[in-house]
Amino acid sequence: MNRLGKSLPPLASLLPFEATARLGSVSRAAQELHITQAAVSRQIRALEADLGVALFERRNRGVYLTESGRSLAYILGNALAGLANEADRLRGVAGTNQVVLLCQMCEAFHWLMPRLSSFHQQFPEIELKVATLLRPLAEYEGYFDVAMQSSCRDRGAHPLLFSASDEVFPVCSPSYLARMGSDALTLDQVQRCTLLLHQTVPQYELEWDTWMAAHGLELPSGGKSLSFDNYSLMLQAAVAGHGLAMGWRRTAEGMLARGELVAPFAETVVLQDALSVCVRHGQERRPEAQALAAWLKAQLS
């Protein structure tokens, strides 16, 4: 006789109940779970019907846990936390003195790698594991402690720790600029140039069309262009002299410092909220993760 199966409430109703109890809002629970408010309410009513008790008081467009609801929320929260921790252990996630940083490939390659020695010197006891993502953080299903991505991308339910600014401007190789016959370029000369395009989904906050629009201009039609689905590959094409790329200072600064790239325009755009640093949703702040977050904040200041 499967006593466990007969005693358990409808499992599909537990996550909507837990999210509503924790967030104190049906709408916020629906947003976190990526379902409709009606679906959340329906699952909670099914749970209440199965248990035969009211779990929430509904008043003034808000929901408030009853005594029975608080008791169930406490037990369910502990059970789900234990299940999540065991699942993380089975996935082989970071243990003591380990931390996992998740970031976009371009930041990992161009910004993080030159600074890794600084982290190791400051925290020699912590093993840093780096994972990369191509899609928005909201779609990432693997384990991480701290994540870093462009602010325009969906982070889902993962809490934001802080944001950092960046500066966006066109870059090219010195040889390409020399072929244009000038030490500097003006925006009315863009049509003469081959534009290197970074095409990704979702699109970065500033590409050639939006960067030109920020200066009150339209991107000329009919010009020459080359398209890439990888930001690092686009920058390498710029270094090789194939055209003008839209550069972000944090990821292009090394090439600019080495003289592999130059900034031929006086114009630039500063984004105050360009990069977001987040922590994993639903996980206690591990000391290793706190150390990594503090180091990132200092480096990005």
Side-chain angles (χ1 to χ4, degrees), residues 91-95 97-103 112 119 126-132 140 142-148 278-280 283 286 288-289 292-293 296:
R91 293 187 185 110
V93 300
N97 295 331
Q98 293 180 333
V99 66
V100 178
L101 171 61
L102 178 67
C103 58
L112 179 63
F119 180 83
I126 299 178
E127 177 187 352
L128 176 62
K129 297 182 177 181
V130 180
T132 59
Y140 186 76
Y143 178 86
F144 68 92
D145 290 294
V146 180
M148 183 170 64
C278 309
V279 291
R280 183 178 176 83
Q283 178 169 297
R286 303 171 59 242
E288 298 88 349
L292 174 59
L296 286 171

Side-chain angles (χ1 to χ4, degrees), residues 67-250:
E67 184 176 349
S68 297
R70 284 192 295 272
S71 176
L72 179 61
Y74 175 78
I75 293 172
L76 180 59
N78 286 337
L80 290 176
L83 179 61
N85 290 336
E86 178 62 13
D88 283 343
R89 187 189 69 79
L90 293 173
R91 293 187 185 110
V93 300
T96 303
N97 295 331
Q98 293 180 333
V99 66
V100 178
L101 171 61
L102 178 67
C103 58
Q104 296 168 152
M105 180 67 75
C106 54
E107 273 80 22
F109 188 80
H110 298 287
W111 184 85
L112 179 63
M113 289 302 109
R115 292 170 170 78
L116 273 185
S117 60
S118 167
F119 180 83
H120 295 318
Q121 290 171 7
Q122 190 171 347
F123 303 101
E125 73 283 2
I126 299 178
E127 177 187 352
L128 176 62
K129 297 182 177 181
V130 180
T132 59
L133 76 165
L134 298 176
R135 303 293 297 172
L137 180 58
E139 301 176 20
Y140 186 76
E141 297 180 353
Y143 178 86
F144 68 92
D145 290 294
V146 180
M148 183 170 64
Q149 71 166 10
S150 299
S151 295
C152 61
R153 293 190 156 201
D154 185 7
R155 69 174 188 269
H158 302 297
L160 175 69
L161 280 180
F162 62 89
S163 299
S165 64
D166 208 342
E167 186 181 5
V168 189
F169 47 87
V171 294
C172 67
S173 69
S175 61
Y176 185 82
L177 184 58
R179 292 204 305 272
M180 297 301 297
S182 176
D183 292 333
L185 298 176
T186 57
L187 291 181
D188 59 2
Q189 294 176 290
V190 167
Q191 192 168 17
R192 296 172 45 207
C193 303
T194 298
L195 302 185
L196 307 181
L197 310 178
H198 179 213
Q199 296 185 334
T200 184
V201 178
Q203 186 176 1
Y204 273 24
E205 188 171 353
L206 282 181
E207 296 294 348
W208 274 105
D209 55 349
T210 48
W211 191 86
M212 293 288 287
H215 295 287
L217 299 171
E218 291 186 2
L219 185 66
S221 60
K224 294 181 293 183
S225 65
L226 293 172
S227 297
F228 303 87
D229 65 355
N230 181 286
Y231 177 83
S232 297
L233 188 60
M234 180 190 68
L235 283 186
Q236 288 300 324
V239 170
H242 294 301
L244 284 171
M246 191 56 61
W248 293 65
R249 182 170 293 282
R250 292 194 187 278

